[in-house]
Amino acid sequence: MGNRSGFAPDEFYHLYNRGTEKRNIFSNKGGYERFLSLLYLCNSTKQVHTTDIIPRGLTSWKLWEILKEFDREETLVDICAYCLMPNHFHLLVREKTDNNISRFMQKLMTGYTMYFNMRHERTGTLFQGTFKSTHVDDDQYLKYLIAYIHLNPIKLIEPRWKETGITDKKRAEYFLEKYQYSSYTDFHKQGRPEQIILAPEALPEYFESPTNFKKSITEWLDYQHSNTT
């Protein structure tokens, strides 16, 4: 389940990692936005030097206007869903060619570690070892993971909702819609510049409409269970 040497083309994988010693890897808006920009830039067969592409002090919209013009040539993976949390991240990707997931993740984690260390005047590793991976080997599990990844931010307002149940479902739904650092909004609504990160065509057509997507995801808020992933 955690094997990183056997990624197969056209297969889906859940990739995740957290900060070493469970430290926060995103401490402000700039860190989140840099990681999102790296999701886009590092997903390329080209060698990327982010300092040459991303000037300092850009507004969010200007940043994505610049990224949209960057020629990535070929992408390494299909990014199907993601969520960034203060001390960890989740990605759902599809392998395109042998070794591409490993190449992509090396570029992503190295690039963000360099950025983080420079900003915080530190050295050393940032992440808790190499990234973890789980092969998504059936349709039911793939649908579950889409929900699981997108529901992660609920932990920020109700840390034990899975064990004890949700206390305010409308509040939780509103929080998901406003959370900027996951792909939930890109499935539920259109128009965010960050949607260029995603390759939604790689997923089966599970959701007939944005409304159907929201309903499918938020139905899980009524389901209590224990999950330690």
Side-chain angles (χ1 to χ4, degrees):
M1 297 288 281
N3 179 26
R4 286 172 295 283
S5 63
F7 297 120
D10 298 324
E11 293 292 305
F12 293 94
Y13 297 89
H14 176 204
L15 313 177
Y16 50 99
N17 208 346
R18 65 176 63 250
T20 182
E21 299 175 345
K22 297 186 178 180
R23 70 168 298 152
N24 282 357
I25 55 177
F26 306 112
S27 57
N28 54 39
K29 181 180 179 181
Y32 284 106
E33 290 191 343
R34 176 54 65 105
F35 196 91
L36 291 178
S37 68
L38 289 173
L39 283 179
Y40 185 76
L41 289 172
C42 294
N43 190 15
S44 168
T45 53
K46 293 177 69 171
Q47 193 70 25
V48 175
H49 300 283
T50 55
T51 53
D52 297 334
I53 300 169
I54 308 175
R56 290 188 178 184
L58 289 178
T59 63
S60 179
W61 276 92
K62 186 63 176 177
L63 167 66
W64 290 99
E65 286 298 314
I66 290 174
L67 295 181
K68 188 168 62 175
E69 298 302 318
F70 175 70
D71 179 13
R72 295 190 293 174
E73 295 180 353
E74 295 292 329
T75 56
L76 295 172
V77 298
D78 291 321
I79 300 176
C80 300
Y82 66 84
C83 182
L84 313 186
M85 298 286 283
N87 69 354
H88 68 280
F89 66 83
H90 296 273
L91 307 175
L92 175 62
V93 308
R94 186 175 71 167
E95 175 82 302
K96 296 181 71 173
T97 304
D98 286 338
N99 298 318
N100 273 9
I101 284 179
S102 297
R103 290 174 61 195
F104 168 66
M105 293 300 289
Q106 181 181 25
K107 291 169 68 175
L108 175 67
M109 295 173 66
T110 299
Y112 187 73
T113 298
M114 291 175 62
Y115 163 83
F116 186 94
N117 284 352
M118 181 180 68
R119 287 295 300 269
H120 296 275
E121 299 181 345
R122 69 182 294 274
T123 58
T125 59
L126 175 62
F127 293 100
Q128 196 175 76
T130 53
F131 69 94
K132 313 304 186 294
S133 66
T134 301
H135 180 210
V136 185
D137 53 6
D138 65 60
D139 199 57
Q140 183 176 357
Y141 186 42
L142 179 57
K143 292 180 71 173
Y144 163 75
L145 267 179
I146 294 170
Y148 171 77
I149 288 172
H150 286 129
L151 288 174
N152 249 254
I154 299 300
K155 295 178 185 177
L156 297 175
I157 58 172
E158 296 200 35
R160 292 186 54 80
W161 74 269
K162 292 181 182 179
E163 292 78 23
T164 62
I166 203 78
T167 60
D168 188 337
K169 186 175 179 180
K170 287 189 178 298
R171 174 174 174 252
E173 291 177 356
Y174 181 79
F175 186 77
L176 286 179
E177 291 180 15
K178 295 300 180 183
Y179 193 75
Q180 301 177 56
Y181 309 120
S182 89
S183 51
Y184 179 88
T185 300
D186 302 306
F187 280 83
H188 176 46
K189 298 177 181 177
Q190 298 296 312
R192 276 209 321 170
E194 293 93 330
Q195 70 185 32
I196 62 174
I197 294 171
L198 299 176
E201 69 282 357
L203 284 171
E205 295 185 5
Y206 292 138
F207 313 109
E208 297 176 359
S209 67
T211 300
N212 179 255
F213 165 80
K214 178 182 176 180
K215 182 175 182 294
S216 298
I217 300 303
T218 56
E219 280 179 348
W220 283 91
L221 293 173
D222 298 318
Y223 178 58
Q224 298 179 34
H225 64 101
S226 295
N227 191 314
T228 57
T229 300

